[in-house]
Amino acid sequence: MTTNQTHMRREVDEIPQVVSRFLTEAAPTLDAAAARLREVDPSVVVTVARGSSDHASAYLKYAIELTLGLPVASIGPSIASIYGKDLRLSNAVAIAISQSGKSPDIVGMAQSARRSGATTIAITNTAGSPIAEASDFTIDLHAGLEKSVAATKSFVTSVVAGLALLARWSGDADLARAVAALPESLAKAVTCDWSELITALDGHNALYVLGRGPGFAIANEAALKFKETCNIQAESYSAAEVMHGPVAIVTPGYPVLGLAARDAAEASVADMAHKLAGQGALAFLTSTRPGAAKPLPFATTGHPITDPLALIVSFYGFVEALSRHRGLNPDVPPALKKVTETV
């Protein structure tokens, strides 16, 4: 999986460099936003996003709740854009994530949150975009042009932006060190070889992706990329939730990908992958915990909050190669375009 033929592959390879540039270029804005958050001392955080950006928001939900103990809620942008309702957010922080920064519903919800008294923070790859104008602070991803329709480097850097802000806001020195070391950690993740999974999926057009905690957000992102780039009907589930009905369709040979990180949920995800493999599923797992599922290589980051992020970098390289293996072009998925504007 070393080819550079597609934009997607090149952009995956750029991730460590892009994250390094972001951590340097965005430091002043991150410092200023974190200082404001410490001053505001909010009682709740809300997020506004769609697609891959919403998966980044879900990752940050777990990270903020685990680190600061603050509840985080995702707001449906249609509350403002379709229904015209402002929420009571006077002691809240609103984080809006949008690569393009110009989807009308995301912008509208950010504007509504600001009107309602929330401290608003935009995470975007487009400086000067409407989402930036609607926010108190704009964290520019500095990721450069992303040509592939399937977001990779912008997704990873969106998560890094939130984690870098969180590390400063919370004063968590261990998290700060792990975030600073992410360029090196993610460089290792790029080299992880999941090629065994490519041929194992021959003849399959549906699968489950399992995760838990921040790893569940990564499972959501992986399932989306299976759909976008490979025309595979992938569904993501919490390793705890899959037994509540969805397991009924896991017949012998049904593919399952367990995305286990080095955190408190690793045992839960690994045990479920092994259980399903024992029932005949074709299960793969990013863990060395022994059992029936086949292990996949993974990179570690030295911190449970950042470890799940390394998994999606390895996954991106795999799914790009899987798309080409299936005769598809991951850069231009059918019926999709790079910028999606919804109302």
Side-chain angles (χ1 to χ4, degrees):
M1 294 193 292
T2 58
T3 180
N4 284 321
Q5 291 181 344
T6 67
H7 294 310
M8 185 177 179
R9 181 69 238 190
R10 283 194 295 271
E11 288 159 5
V12 172
D13 289 341
E14 289 174 9
I15 288 173
Q17 170 191 342
V18 167
V19 169
S20 179
R21 181 170 65 240
F22 167 79
L23 291 173
T24 299
E25 297 291 335
T29 303
L30 291 167
D31 289 339
R36 174 72 65 85
L37 295 182
R38 288 193 298 271
E39 177 185 341
V40 170
D41 191 22
S43 57
V44 66
V45 177
V46 298
T47 62
V48 185
R50 289 202 188 280
S52 286
S53 294
D54 199 36
H55 302 156
S57 296
Y59 194 115
L60 297 178
K61 166 186 168 65
Y62 282 103
I64 292 169
E65 291 176 346
L66 290 170
T67 302
L68 288 172
L70 278 177
V72 181
S74 172
I75 296 179
S78 61
I79 292 296
S81 65
I82 296 293
Y83 298 101
K85 183 70 174 180
D86 287 335
L87 301 178
R88 290 181 289 179
L89 298 173
S90 59
N91 194 36
V93 168
I95 301 175
I97 305 180
S98 173
Q99 296 159 36
S100 70
K102 61 182 183 180
S103 187
D105 54 349
I106 305 298
V107 174
M109 190 64 240
Q111 292 169 334
S112 172
R114 196 178 195 183
R115 279 197 307 271
S116 299
T119 299
T120 54
I121 298 173
I123 298 176
T124 181
N125 199 34
T126 311
S129 58
I131 196 70
E133 296 174 5
S135 302
D136 297 311
F137 295 92
T138 300
I139 302 174
D140 186 346
L141 297 180
H142 299 282
L145 179 64
E146 193 169 52
K147 295 182 179 180
S148 176
V149 169
T152 55
K153 62 180 180 177
S154 62
F155 170 82
V156 172
T157 314
S158 293
V159 175
V160 174
L163 295 179
L165 176 63
L166 175 60
R168 288 165 164 80
W169 178 12
S170 65
D172 188 322
D174 289 338
L175 179 58
R177 281 191 291 270
V179 169
L182 276 174
E184 180 181 352
S185 302
L186 299 183
K188 295 175 182 176
V190 169
T191 67
C192 288
D193 184 358
W194 291 11
S195 56
E196 180 184 7
L197 184 53
I198 293 175
T199 53
L201 291 177
D202 283 348
H204 294 282
N205 292 304
L207 58 80
Y208 282 164
V209 187
L210 306 182
R212 205 161 183 189
F216 177 53
I218 293 303
N220 292 340
E221 172 65 6
L224 175 61
K225 289 300 185 287
F226 271 124
K227 296 183 183 81
E228 283 182 330
T229 66
C230 300
N231 294 337
I232 293 176
Q233 179 60 42
E235 298 299 332
S236 55
Y237 286 100
S238 161
E241 190 68 29
V242 72
M243 293 303 292
H244 292 262
V247 72
I249 68 170
V250 182
T251 51
Y254 190 88
V256 174
L257 173 59
L259 294 176
R262 271 24 69 195
D263 66 1
E266 180 177 10
S268 173
V269 178
D271 290 349
M272 182 53 61
H274 291 320
K275 176 182 175 66
L276 295 177
Q279 295 175 189
L282 178 63
F284 288 79
L285 174 68
T286 59
S287 174
T288 57
R289 292 178 66 89
K294 298 181 180 180
L296 291 171
F298 55 85
T300 59
T301 67
H303 196 286
I305 295 293
T306 53
D307 258 10
L309 192 57
L311 297 178
I312 200 63
V313 174
S314 301
F315 173 85
Y316 282 154
F318 147 75
V319 83
E320 185 273 346
L322 177 63
S323 178
R324 291 186 291 103
H325 176 75
R326 291 186 163 221
L328 302 170
N329 182 350
D331 288 340
V332 286
L336 296 178
K337 56 183 180 179
K338 185 60 182 173
V339 177
T340 303
E341 297 185 13
T342 49
V343 177

